[in-house]
Amino acid sequence: MRVNEKYSTLPAEDRSVHIINICAIEDIGYLPSEGTLLNSLSVDPDAKCKYGLYFRDGKRKVDYVLVYHHKRPSGSRTLARRSQSQDSALTARSGRQEQPLPGLGSLEGSGGPESPQDFHEDDKRFRRTEYEGNLLEAGLELEHDEDTKIHGVGFVKIHAPWNVLCREAEFLKLKMPTKKLYHMNEARGLLKKINSVLQKITAPIQPRVAEHRPQTVKRLSYPFSREKQHLFDLSDKDSFFDSKTRSTIVYEILKRTTCTKAKYSMGQGEGRKKDSALLSKRRKCGKYGITSLLANGVYSAAYPLHDGDYEGENVESNDRKLLYEEWASYRVFYKYQPIDLVRKYFGEKIGLYFAWLGVYTQMLIPASVVGIIVFLYGCATVDENIPSREMCDQSHNITMCPLCDKTCSYWKLSSACATARASHLFDNPATVFFSIFMALWAATFMEHWKRKQMRLNYRWDLTGFEEEEEAVKGHPRAEYEARVLQKSLRKEYKDKETDKVKLTWKDRLPAYLTNLVSIVFMIAVTFAIVLGVIIYRISMAAALAMNSSPSVRSNIRVTVTATAVIINLVVIILLDEVYGCIARWLTKIEVPKTEKSFEERLIFKAFLLKFVNSYTPIFYVAFFKGRFVGRPGDYVYIFRSFRMEECAPGGCLMELCIQLSIIMLGKQLIQNNLFEIGIPKMKKLIRSLRLRRQSPADEHVKRKQRYEVDFTLEPFAGLTPEYMEMIIQFGFVTLFVASFPLAPLFALLNNIIEIRLDAKKFVTELRRPVAVRAKDIGIWYNILRGIGKLAVIINAFVIAFTSDFIPRLVYLYMYSRNGTMHGFVNHTLSSFNVSDFQEGTAPNDPLDLGYEVHICRYKDYREPPWSEHKYDISKDFWAVLAARLAFVIVFQNLVMFMSDFVDWVIPDIPKDISQQIHKEKVLMVELFMREEQGKQQLLDTWMERDPAKDKPLSNHSPSAGPPGPEHLAGAL
């Protein structure tokens, strides 16, 4: 039989009396007859409650579910525990007698002393009993279900009646639509025709949901008030508050409802102490809301229910099913997202994330097109590029110095022909234009998102949201309350007022020091790994140079670069997961007071560590590789053994491109396929197998209730991982775009899949999150702006120092004899006399090319060996350096000015939205003025009909007079 305890409250007129319906008849010795049992089996009782979406009566909707683990008692102790639980529920609600603390009194029918584990279970049970009694006092209605398919798991179904919803909506200042309709401003003339044409063109890519259709009429919204219910359309009270709003209201009640009586203090077993003063202090301070109860294991989960199944036969239409068909399916990848429906189902915070992701993906389309054009320009002009043609011309017979000591021999410059030609694809004049374009693109993207955000705020009635935001920010976290409680229980705080106790910087100082040391250590680990990869590259190059195969020796650079990048990729992906866990642990030991503070600190630490982890190898190739090599005869060594590696003759930009593309593409593919698809599916499979093993064998034929199915889903862990993945990708797209113009294209392809992947995860793989109202994307916007500004500086240095753009310009305008690039390669190479090699560094096989070498070349601006100041830096070096620094200054200031100009030209709030907001304010004032006039007319009419009541009426305000809200609404 199903063990069910239904708690229901009487109407609001009589709150002092509560009724408990106990359906566990078998607990009091009543055995149903065989006929009764067969009768109950003839009709599926679960169909009436829509398989867990409603209470057993089929009328009251389940707004929230609490889950707890329990031990099913047996024998004589069953009746004692259940009856005691029922009595404690009555006591908690009546408040007339105090429930004795477990362990301090005797239990009826206990049959002897309990073990420590039993004490702990009893403590949790008493906390649940008291907490649920307090929920009943708050007006919620509860129903228990312990006889489920999941062994040892009980569920508490929560329903918020109408009067509670109205009270909390008024307290939370929820804006609800009124009866008043008004027409939105529409475009006129040519703009109207353009919009009409665009709507017809984009009709096939619009989702087939009602919320996504263009609207010309909008309801005026106003913060809900019970005194002004006549303003709102209450014809259908069941749908006035949607499921998202109902769960939000219940969650707010769960957070502020406290549980003060407990044997243990935050699960540490202090309830065994007999000190009465300490117990009274704990009762005063130990107020546990749902967050604390979840943290202490009193409840194992708390979540709102999904609206129903999303696939299968005879599935009723619901928002979840509609989202699955029109949003979370790869078949609709080309369609717009139904953002309004996403917001309706998941709340504003998640809706804003997907709206931002959609805007970002749309903005990648023009960036991808321009990037493809730049790449095609490089392909089209590669045969006309004079420097690469000179490098490929074997008639020049340029002999280069060895790339490593002893094992490497001299080599021909023409052997690097393929690298030089490939470098031109990304290192050409169009790259500079693309860098400027992407800087302006980033500024335009930020402005476009701000305008889109304002449109969503207006559409979702989020204007004037700051007051509620401040109230939400002040709610303390469970861990913070625990630390405050521990601090209040110390001896030095025994006689002080515990209400004023809070955590100071002195309490957090050890955590701050731990954070500082840990972050520095993690960054040092990242640098050490990069150094290890550098040593691997140097060693591998020297080892491959000793290979007897000519094909292996000719592809040394490509082989070493590719394998090193793959190692970097694997390390980056692994450290990303490690750093994410470390960042969360470091934030937890800081014990931030509020969830908002916790989230911001976590984001800062995780972003700092993952930024360093993802971009350090790329920064090395871009700005450090080949810069501190030295020269032949005086090379720089690591640990006196490993000679620093050099850039290819065509420059390091090609290696930077390879590094960036492999890390970016590999990171996206592996994270999407392995971490976001494979691991969640594996976790879900393991949970299902474990629960199936624990379930009784005779219950496999029963259909699971909705709350049982949702319990097996993955809990929602927040939006930080989703945002972090996209922010790192945004860095790849903007920071080093000068070296990889195709980065926006690959980001666009990834995001098209990412949107549907995340959508499917939210609809099918995760428990339904609690809807959270938000008017922006928070700290992420500031991070995006910071990356956009940093991208301008980094791209300026990449063009100036990593590419050969500036040396080519200097040669063309200062050193070229005929105004062409002929002779540029020879100009960038210096000469070295092989007799000046240090002892033990000369090639073992100097005749590897078939002739004796006396002078070899290397890439640098130095004096020749026959000069008076041989091997010193030449004046050409200083000329190029001055030009590079000048380019950085001009480029940075010019692009920054253009970005700020774009920011200034584009207003943050669209003109039509500002007009609509103003129109709403005017209409609201007119509405209340008419209401007051209607009240006054009713009052004057009533006074004229009954002059005798003029005197008593003069002592009362019009609003307190006989005409009620219903009469006033009729007058309106």
Side-chain angles (χ1 to χ4, degrees):
M1 282 295 241
R2 180 177 295 275
V3 180
N4 248 333
E5 295 178 10
K6 295 184 181 178
Y7 299 136
S8 61
T9 59
L10 289 179
E13 290 78 8
D14 188 4
R15 288 289 184 83
S16 61
V17 181
H18 297 274
I19 299 175
I20 297 182
N21 297 322
I22 305 176
C23 296
I25 306 297
E26 71 275 13
D27 288 349
I28 57 176
Y30 174 74
L31 295 176
S33 64
E34 186 179 353
T36 305
L37 185 61
L38 291 175
N39 231 3
S40 64
L41 293 176
S42 61
V43 179
D44 186 2
D46 294 335
K48 185 179 179 181
C49 64
K50 294 189 177 180
Y51 297 98
L53 288 174
Y54 288 82
F55 276 20
R56 300 298 298 172
D57 57 14
K59 298 178 180 178
R60 291 173 292 174
K61 184 177 177 61
V62 177
D63 299 318
Y64 218 88
V65 172
L66 303 179
V67 186
Y68 60 91
H69 286 82
H70 66 91
K71 289 186 175 182
R72 294 183 179 178
S74 59
S76 62
R77 191 162 174 165
T78 302
L79 178 60
R81 284 203 179 186
R82 287 178 179 168
S83 61
Q84 187 182 20
S85 176
Q86 295 154 14
D87 293 342
S88 64
L90 284 170
T91 304
R93 289 194 308 279
S94 65
R96 294 179 181 175
Q97 67 181 22
E98 187 174 337
Q99 175 67 40
L101 288 174
L104 298 179
S106 60
L107 291 172
E108 291 184 17
S110 60
E114 296 182 89
S115 66
Q117 188 173 2
D118 290 333
F119 271 106
H120 197 62
E121 291 298 323
D122 283 339
D123 179 57
K124 289 182 179 180
R125 181 164 53 82
F126 272 93
R127 287 198 207 182
R128 287 196 296 268
T129 301
E130 185 193 358
Y131 183 70
E132 290 162 17
N134 292 338
L135 293 179
L136 291 171
E137 287 289 343
L140 297 178
E141 298 176 2
L142 311 180
E143 184 179 78
H144 278 239
D145 185 3
E146 290 187 355
D147 188 14
T148 64
K149 291 187 68 176
I150 306 175
H151 180 70
V153 175
F155 297 88
V156 182
K157 294 171 280 187
I158 302 176
H159 169 76
W162 172 254
N163 59 322
V164 173
L165 293 172
C166 294
R167 181 191 71 205
E168 296 299 321
E170 182 176 357
F171 175 73
L172 295 174
K173 300 178 182 178
L174 296 179
K175 275 191 173 183
M176 304 301 295
T178 63
K179 298 177 182 177
K180 176 68 176 178
L181 291 170
Y182 71 94
H183 289 274
M184 301 169 65
N185 295 338
E186 296 183 21
R188 298 177 181 177
L190 180 62
L191 191 59
K192 182 178 181 180
K193 293 181 180 179
I194 294 174
N195 289 339
S196 177
V197 172
L198 289 176
Q199 287 179 7
K200 291 180 180 178
I201 294 174
T202 59
I205 60 175
Q206 300 291 346
R208 294 175 297 176
V209 296
E211 286 80 0
H212 199 76
R213 294 168 188 164
Q215 298 178 349
T216 58
V217 178
K218 187 177 185 292
R219 287 190 179 273
L220 194 64
S221 296
Y222 184 74
F224 187 82
S225 172
R226 286 174 289 181
E227 295 180 356
K228 292 182 171 56
Q229 288 191 30
H230 57 278
L231 296 177
F232 305 94
D233 184 9
L234 303 181
S235 57
D236 186 4
K237 292 185 178 181
D238 292 335
S239 62
F240 182 73
F241 295 105
D242 57 16
S243 59
K244 177 251 309 179
T245 307
R246 297 174 70 99
S247 63
T248 301
I249 288 174
V250 173
Y251 182 65
E252 290 297 324
I253 298 175
L254 293 175
K255 282 199 300 185
R256 72 168 185 263
T257 302
T258 58
C259 168
T260 57
K261 299 173 185 175
K263 179 170 66 174
Y264 301 115
S265 173
M266 304 310 290
Q268 294 186 7
E270 295 181 7
R272 297 170 181 269
K273 298 182 179 179
K274 303 298 182 179
D275 188 353
S276 59
L278 191 61
L279 284 173
S280 63
K281 187 179 287 290
R282 185 183 303 112
R283 291 179 188 178
K284 185 178 180 181
C285 308
K287 297 180 179 180
Y288 311 126
I290 186 61
T291 52
S292 299
L293 295 174
L294 287 171
N296 299 328
V298 178
Y299 291 102
S300 55
Y303 51 88
L305 294 181
H306 280 291
D307 279 358
D309 292 326
Y310 57 88
E311 62 181 353
E313 297 181 359
N314 303 323
V315 175
E316 293 185 8
S317 178
N318 57 71
D319 287 343
R320 188 188 187 193
K321 184 174 184 292
L322 190 58
L323 282 171
Y324 180 75
E325 293 173 349
E326 294 295 325
W327 181 52
S329 174
Y330 294 110
R331 292 183 287 103
V332 294
F333 73 92
Y334 59 93
K335 288 188 177 183
Y336 285 97
Q337 299 182 86
I339 292 298
D340 290 324
L341 184 59
V342 174
R343 172 252 179 181
K344 177 186 175 184
Y345 193 78
F346 291 109
E348 285 78 6
K349 190 171 184 179
I350 294 176
L352 281 173
Y353 164 71
F354 282 102
W356 172 84
L357 184 56
V359 170
Y360 172 47
T361 304
Q362 289 176 9
M363 289 294 293
L364 283 172
I365 296 175
S368 302
V369 172
V370 177
I372 292 172
I373 293 173
V374 170
F375 178 74
L376 293 178
Y377 170 81
C379 295
T381 58
V382 66
D383 292 330
E384 302 173 4
N385 183 41
I386 296 175
S388 61
R389 283 163 53 189
E390 288 185 347
M391 290 182 63
C392 295
D393 189 358
Q394 297 185 4
S395 63
H396 283 75
N397 197 28
I398 299 177
T399 304
M400 303 296 293
C401 295
L403 296 174
C404 61
D405 294 342
K406 295 184 180 180
T407 56
C408 298
S409 185
Y410 305 104
W411 56 285
K412 288 292 189 70
L413 181 62
S414 57
S415 63
C417 175
T419 305
R421 290 173 63 87
S423 296
H424 179 72
L425 301 179
F426 306 100
D427 188 4
N428 54 69
T431 304
V432 181
F433 158 77
F434 190 56
S435 299
I436 298 174
F437 170 81
M438 287 303 294
L440 298 179
W441 172 87
T444 307
F445 163 60
M446 301 305 296
E447 291 304 310
H448 179 44
W449 166 244
K450 281 197 289 187
R451 291 169 64 85
K452 177 71 173 179
Q453 195 170 252
M454 283 305 303
R455 290 188 182 276
L456 293 177
N457 285 342
Y458 163 71
R459 210 158 72 202
W460 296 348
D461 299 320
L462 292 172
T463 52
F465 179 65
E466 290 77 11
E467 295 82 3
E468 184 211 342
E469 214 170 43
E470 291 297 324
V472 172
K473 282 194 292 186
H475 188 81
R477 296 173 60 249
E479 291 80 359
Y480 180 84
E481 290 178 337
R483 283 289 298 274
V484 170
L485 177 60
Q486 291 174 359
K487 182 176 179 180
S488 66
L489 293 176
R490 293 173 187 163
K491 292 183 179 180
E492 58 266 30
Y493 290 98
K494 183 184 293 185
D495 300 323
K496 294 185 179 181
E497 286 293 329
T498 56
D499 293 337
K500 297 181 181 179
V501 174
K502 61 180 182 180
L503 298 184
T504 62
W505 67 269
K506 293 182 179 178
D507 299 314
R508 294 191 174 102
L509 184 60
Y512 290 152
L513 294 176
T514 304
N515 270 261
L516 179 62
V517 173
S518 300
I519 290 175
V520 171
F521 175 74
M522 291 297 109
I523 294 175
V525 167
T526 303
F527 289 162
I529 291 173
V530 172
L531 180 61
V533 174
I534 294 171
I535 295 175
Y536 161 80
R537 293 162 66 113
I538 297 171
S539 306
M540 183 59 67
L544 291 177
M546 300 171 62
N547 196 294
S548 58
S549 173
S551 59
V552 172
R553 284 185 293 174
S554 61
N555 296 312
I556 288 176
R557 194 178 296 275
V558 176
T559 305
V560 171
T561 301
T563 55
V565 172
I566 292 173
I567 293 173
N568 273 327
L569 172 63
V570 173
V571 170
I572 286 172
I573 292 175
L574 293 177
L575 286 184
D576 260 357
E577 300 301 315
V578 174
Y579 287 169
C581 298
I582 291 176
R584 180 169 291 275
W585 175 74
L586 292 176
T587 308
K588 282 182 178 179
I589 64 174
E590 282 186 6
V591 198
K593 183 175 181 180
T594 63
E595 286 293 340
K596 185 177 179 64
S597 175
F598 178 87
E599 185 178 10
E600 289 181 349
R601 295 184 186 209
L602 173 62
I603 289 171
F604 173 75
K605 293 181 183 65
F607 176 74
L608 176 63
L609 292 174
K610 293 189 177 185
F611 182 90
V612 173
N613 181 44
S614 298
Y615 297 119
T616 299
I618 302 173
F619 269 96
Y620 163 72
V621 175
F623 302 121
F624 296 98
K625 184 179 179 181
R627 308 290 171 195
F628 311 101
V629 178
R631 60 168 180 83
D634 189 20
Y635 284 115
V636 177
Y637 292 88
I638 303 176
F639 307 129
R640 299 181 179 180
S641 302
F642 303 99
R643 195 179 102 186
M644 289 294 291
E645 55 183 346
E646 304 175 40
C647 286
C652 275
L653 197 69
M654 188 59 200
E655 286 194 43
L656 177 61
C657 174
I658 295 173
Q659 185 102 3
L660 184 65
S661 59
I662 292 180
I663 290 177
M664 178 182 176
L665 296 177
K667 207 170 182 302
Q668 290 178 351
L669 290 174
I670 293 176
Q671 283 186 337
N672 282 350
N673 294 317
L674 180 62
F675 294 144
E676 293 196 23
I677 298 178
I679 292 180
K681 285 187 177 295
M682 191 180 300
K683 286 182 178 179
K684 185 179 179 181
L685 178 63
I686 293 173
R687 275 199 309 273
S688 301
L689 293 175
R690 185 184 298 127
L691 293 174
R692 190 179 303 170
R693 191 179 300 116
Q694 294 174 355
S695 300
D698 59 343
E699 292 198 4
H700 68 278
V701 295
K702 290 173 56 179
R703 176 174 172 179
K704 280 189 176 182
Q705 303 292 305
R706 177 79 263 154
Y707 45 85
E708 294 179 83
V709 176
D710 287 3
F711 179 65
T712 61
L713 299 177
E714 187 79 12
F716 175 64
L719 289 171
T720 300
E722 315 298 334
Y723 272 115
M724 188 68 68
E725 180 183 350
M726 289 296 104
I727 296 298
I728 295 296
Q729 184 204 82
F730 182 77
F732 282 123
V733 169
T734 55
L735 292 180
F736 297 95
V737 74
S739 64
F740 190 39
L742 295 180
L745 174 63
F746 289 114
L748 172 64
L749 298 175
N750 173 79
N751 287 6
I752 291 173
I753 301 173
E754 181 73 21
I755 289 175
R756 307 304 164 182
L757 183 66
D758 285 347
K760 192 169 185 178
K761 181 170 65 175
F762 273 85
V763 173
T764 65
E765 301 289 339
L766 297 179
R767 293 175 191 162
R768 188 173 182 177
V770 179
V772 178
R773 287 190 293 170
K775 64 185 299 183
D776 51 42
I777 60 175
I779 193 175
W780 297 110
Y781 181 81
N782 298 327
I783 293 176
L784 285 169
R785 285 189 67 89
I787 292 177
K789 299 294 184 184
L790 183 62
V792 176
I793 301 172
I794 290 179
N795 281 303
F797 277 94
V798 167
I799 295 171
F801 288 90
T802 309
S803 75
D804 280 339
F805 177 74
I806 298 301
R808 285 198 294 262
L809 284 182
V810 172
Y811 176 80
L812 186 64
Y813 293 106
M814 291 182 61
Y815 300 103
S816 178
R817 296 178 180 177
N818 52 6
T820 65
M821 293 301 296
H822 287 287
F824 170 73
V825 174
N826 187 63
H827 179 262
T828 59
L829 297 177
S830 300
S831 301
F832 177 74
N833 193 330
V834 297
S835 61
D836 294 331
F837 271 123
Q838 289 183 350
E839 185 178 354
T841 61
N844 295 332
D845 186 10
L847 300 177
D848 185 57
L849 294 178
Y851 56 88
E852 187 176 358
V853 177
H854 300 284
I855 299 292
C856 65
R857 310 294 295 276
Y858 61 99
K859 189 171 183 178
D860 205 348
Y861 291 100
R862 291 183 179 271
E863 296 290 344
W866 50 84
S867 171
E868 183 180 355
H869 306 284
K870 67 176 184 178
Y871 307 135
D872 286 350
I873 294 175
S874 65
K875 62 179 182 179
D876 298 342
F877 171 85
W878 301 111
V880 172
L881 180 62
R884 282 172 164 165
L885 294 176
F887 174 83
V888 168
I889 295 172
V890 172
F891 181 90
Q892 176 183 335
N893 286 279
L894 175 64
V895 175
M896 288 285 191
F897 170 76
M898 295 172 69
S899 300
D900 292 340
F901 180 75
V902 170
D903 194 357
W904 175 73
V905 166
I906 303 176
D908 293 347
I909 304 177
K911 185 177 180 180
D912 60 324
I913 295 300
S914 60
Q915 291 175 350
Q916 296 285 7
I917 294 174
H918 178 70
K919 184 177 180 179
E920 277 197 355
K921 292 180 180 179
V922 173
L923 289 173
M924 188 60 67
V925 172
E926 290 179 358
L927 182 64
F928 283 113
M929 290 297 293
R930 290 176 186 173
E931 183 183 1
E932 290 300 320
Q933 290 173 3
K935 287 181 181 179
Q936 189 63 40
Q937 289 176 3
L938 274 175
L939 186 61
D940 293 342
T941 304
W942 191 80
M943 290 175 64
E944 289 175 0
R945 289 180 181 178
D946 195 356
K949 294 186 179 181
D950 181 44
K951 186 174 181 180
L953 278 173
S954 62
N955 297 328
H956 299 280
S957 64
S959 61
E966 295 79 5
H967 298 83
L968 296 178
L972 289 176

